Amino acid sequence: MSELFDAVDALIASRSPLPPPAERKRLRQAHGLTLDEVAAALQVRRATVSGWEAGKTEPRPPERDAYARMLKQLAQLYPANAPVPSGDPAVPETPALPAAPASTGAEPAQARTEPTGPIPEPVSANTALHPAAVPHPAAPARPTSRRPATKKAAPASTTVGGADPRFEHGPLAVVDADDGQVLAYCVGGLVLDVPAKSIPALVEWTLREGRFGQPKLSGPGKDADPLIVLTEVACEYYGLPVTLTQQERLAGRLPEGHKVKRQLTRAEWQLTKRGFGPWARIYRPAQGSERACVQLCIPSWDALDTRHWANAGQLPPADLARLLGTYAARVMTPRGSTAVTGLELMTALHPPTRASEPDATGRRHSEHNPGSLGKDPVDCAPCEAPDGHPLLADLPRFHHRTPAEVLVEEAYDWARPLTDAECLRPHLVGIDVNMAFAAGANGLTVGLGAPTHVKNPVFDSKLPGSWLVDLSHVDLSRVKVAKDKWAQLDAGLLPSPFTPKGERPEGPAWYATPTVAYAVELGYDVAPVEAYVRHDNGRYLDGWYNRLRDAYLATMAGLGVHADLPPADFLAAMDGYRQRDPQLAIVVSAIKATVKGGIGKLRERPRGEGWKPGQPWRALARPTWRPDIRAAVISRTRINMHRKIVKHAAFTGQYPVAVLSDCAVYASDGPSPLDFLPYRDGKPLPGGFKLGVNPGLVKWEGTQSVLWGEGVREQFNAPDLNLARYIKDGTVADQDTGE
């Protein structure tokens, strides 16, 4: 009989009365419960509870009885006529970045919210630099909750932080599928239902209803197109492979006959020349000023390079949306790899054209935007052209160009044997320049137009270009370190500032303007034989540097490393900073990669596609293919490093034992940079190395023992092995196998 009673009880429970969907949500919010807390208690998914509250689905036994019981008890505590809290318990909000898109947006009936996670909302760089200026957040509404609180989306009639209402859902969304429901995880924690059943429908929904995008970064520029990131589950849902085959990876795209590409063609959508790959751009030709373009990012196709984005591609959708949203707010919406984005940022800040003043009929026309590179590519000088360039098509096959024929401005890769005195010191300490290439770009005058060839020119340090000049007479044993002040140095312990390998030049060679200007700064006359100079010039990279500097400083401040910290406090703040917020640390890596990749992309080489030496390749058609700008930035970065090395040597008598790009290694009596950097009363040597987070200042890279260094060099029988490459953790790759 008891079994019959149990069966009857179960039958009644299966039809337990439930309040209307809106009332269910009201009761949950009235008690300060999050969707995650209810889902955990009922042992169901968060999306399932959200569906019950939206009225899309109804609970089934055995969860229905428990859910009804909870709602009944809540109804007793919070009658319908009782005042209702304004929203879900909210996490403390931080000031919005003025240039950032809305971090939260309108909440339609089907909207959901997600925990905000570890990455804070973007703050301005100035606020980040001054901790006292950052408002202290209030305590969460339910401090006893074990789960993170949720932030409610703004009502449909409002925008957040004064952001553009067209982009109130932020610059991007991560699209995932859950129990047959497609969800778009937005920046700020908002989650939207996506009704689209195909990729063409997803593109249509993104443009018409998604309200994604980012305002333009410059007056004459264009708003950023929305970015949709597809998870592995979303790829399966939309008929895309989770991973590409080896052949597809080599091609970088799906084959032409793939069904998704056929769907796009039938819907009259087009793809750019890169095709449907990890970063696919889907568009229709613009109608006047109206653009219709959506970019897809597919992490499982290696869209997010693990060298720069670490494990971002494996993060949960909400976390990935926050991470990419932070990068987008502080840098720009990603347009591809970090290198591509770095280059696109230059164009976004200096668009090639602008609208003219109205003519006699009142119409405006497109005209060149002063200070930009223009919309048409310009030829480089022959000495600036890399091997295989069409300008070199007449050279004999396998011809090796000498320094008098080719401009070679590259970062340092130099090392020397330790002296006897250095061998007696116990430690090798590495210091690394923060954002070295960004610092090299700051304030640099670069050419904007085509070069002019001149013979026997008078050198002008303010004129960007490439100069054929003999610098072999520059003697580093006696150099000018200040006005009318010369220093005697041991030239054998210093790298030459004029060559990447640190070797003294042996005759005329091509150099960028910053390199020749440094020879003059050291106190020596120069007499160029010829030059390719650019009279149309400007500080094209200043805005680019400022944007990336502010992004870097704001993100580092979020990790607890602030500007203007005293040296010891800075070293303490840098110790383990990545572990304080691993996701925000990924943003730091991506910002740094954006700098290096953007500079490198200025001289992009052929990438297969059947290219043969002497033929043009695709990158040459870009106005931003400018090897001369790349050379000038690298030249200035190397000179900046050498200038600090010389100042340090002149003051302390200490010389580096190895230099690799932006890292220098010194023998030291102690394991800390403070054991050999000449600080007095907390102040560094003027013009020398200074500890700090700002671009151009240095941080501690790593410390190893002198015995370790000598042992590694002996192991590989290489007395000049560059120890700066391994100083960070002491791990040395096999020189023969590359493992």
Side-chain angles (χ1 to χ4, degrees), residues 207-444:
L207 293 172
R208 295 187 180 184
E209 302 178 38
R211 286 174 285 188
F212 299 113
Q214 191 175 26
K216 57 189 177 183
L217 298 179
S218 176
K222 300 175 182 177
D223 297 327
D225 297 319
L227 172 65
I228 298 297
V229 184
L230 297 179
T231 67
E232 294 184 9
V233 180
C235 286
E236 291 179 336
Y237 182 88
Y238 287 119
L240 293 169
V242 173
T243 58
L244 298 178
T245 65
Q246 182 177 1
Q247 185 176 1
E248 291 167 347
R249 284 199 303 271
L250 292 174
R253 65 192 74 188
L254 290 179
E256 290 299 323
H258 195 276
K259 64 178 182 179
V260 172
K261 298 187 73 171
R262 295 199 304 268
Q263 291 172 358
L264 291 168
T265 301
R266 286 195 298 267
E268 299 182 346
W269 289 102
Q270 300 179 29
L271 292 162
T272 57
K273 290 183 179 181
R274 75 170 82 176
F276 203 119
W279 292 90
R281 295 188 66 78
I282 304 172
Y283 72 99
R284 286 184 180 135
Q287 301 295 326
S289 61
E290 295 296 324
R291 291 170 54 82
C293 182
V294 173
Q295 180 153 309
L296 299 184
C297 167
I298 306 179
S300 62
W301 294 6
D302 298 328
L304 300 176
D305 192 329
T306 55
R307 293 173 299 175
H308 315 313
W309 293 102
N311 67 333
Q314 284 74 50
L315 291 175
D319 291 339
L320 181 56
R322 288 190 291 273
L323 189 153
L324 293 176
T326 302
Y327 177 88
R330 296 177 180 179
V331 181
M332 69 179 298
T333 303
R335 291 289 303 273
S337 66
T338 50
V340 169
T341 303
L343 199 66
E344 291 290 339
L345 181 61
M346 297 180 194
T347 303
L349 293 169
H350 288 285
T353 59
R354 68 177 184 182
S356 67
E357 294 296 326
D359 60 16
T361 64
R363 298 185 60 184
R364 296 179 183 269
H365 306 275
S366 177
E367 66 177 13
H368 173 70
N369 183 27
S372 75
L373 298 181
K375 64 178 182 179
D376 298 317
V378 297
D379 285 336
C380 62
C383 62
E384 299 163 351
D387 292 340
H389 192 279
L391 289 175
L392 310 176
D394 294 335
L395 289 179
R397 191 178 182 185
F398 304 121
H399 174 73
H400 178 70
R401 292 191 288 169
T402 66
E405 297 174 292
V406 59
L407 175 71
V408 182
E409 293 284 11
E410 300 294 343
Y412 266 132
D413 186 356
W414 169 87
R416 62 170 176 81
L418 274 67
T419 65
D420 292 342
E422 290 168 340
C423 287
L424 296 177
R425 291 176 175 167
H427 302 286
L428 294 173
V429 182
I431 51 176
D432 181 82
V433 180
N434 297 312
M435 300 271 283
F437 293 100
N442 181 30
L444 178 64

Side-chain angles (χ1 to χ4, degrees), residues 85-102:
S86 59
D88 286 344
V91 294
E93 294 194 31
T94 53
L97 193 67

